[in-house]
Amino acid sequence: MARGGAPQDPDQYLARVPEPARGTLKKVRATIQSAVPSEATEVISYGMPIFKYKGMLVGYAAFSNHCSFFPMSYAVIEKFKKELQGLLAAKGTIRFPVDKPLPATLVKRLVKARVAEKDKK
């Protein structure tokens, strides 16, 4: 995915992701966009798309054999541990197949939990 240097924005990042992962991540991205506050922004950080709202909120990325969603909160992962069973790869990483996005309802709930966490601070 490093063709032509580091991506400058999320659209450029997604354009470099091969199918079927690109379509999968586009669905995840659209779900995230539907759940974040209007003042949230999307940037490239750590080489991947990150939504920011009062700091880092959530991120997503494609890898050779899977896609990942990053809630960037161990507390949120703990809260949804039962629903994430079988998807947790490491502390802070939720992995899913390149051809099957995470369920939209789960993504929305994770994002909203992160927003609530950020609003508390």
Side-chain angles (χ1 to χ4, degrees):
M1 266 185 293
R3 295 187 316 244
Q8 300 302 306
D9 61 53
D11 290 323
Q12 193 178 71
Y13 176 92
L14 287 169
R16 297 176 182 185
V17 174
E19 289 295 354
R22 180 184 315 139
T24 298
L25 286 184
K26 282 183 174 184
K27 288 175 185 168
V28 170
R29 180 189 194 195
T31 302
I32 295 168
Q33 287 171 325
S34 75
V36 296
S38 59
E39 59 270 27
T41 58
E42 190 181 13
V43 300
I44 294 291
S45 187
Y46 301 103
M48 66 181 176
I50 302 279
F51 281 85
K52 293 178 93 179
Y53 171 74
K54 298 180 180 181
M56 301 275 199
L57 188 67
V58 297
Y60 59 91
F63 298 92
S64 56
N65 297 315
H66 68 277
C67 292
S68 289
F69 178 78
F70 303 94
M72 299 184 179
S73 166
Y74 190 66
V76 167
I77 287 175
E78 279 296 307
K79 182 177 179 179
F80 292 91
K81 202 170 191 171
K82 278 187 179 178
E83 293 168 80
L84 296 172
Q85 202 165 20
L87 297 172
L88 292 174
K91 186 176 176 179
T93 305
I94 299 167
R95 285 187 181 176
F96 52 99
V98 295
D99 60 347
K100 187 177 179 203
L102 288 172
T105 54
L106 177 59
V107 172
K108 284 182 184 182
R109 291 178 63 219
L110 289 163
V111 171
K112 289 181 183 209
R114 277 295 284 147
V115 169
E117 195 175 67
K118 290 292 197 172
D119 283 342
K120 271 187 186 176
K121 292 183 180 178

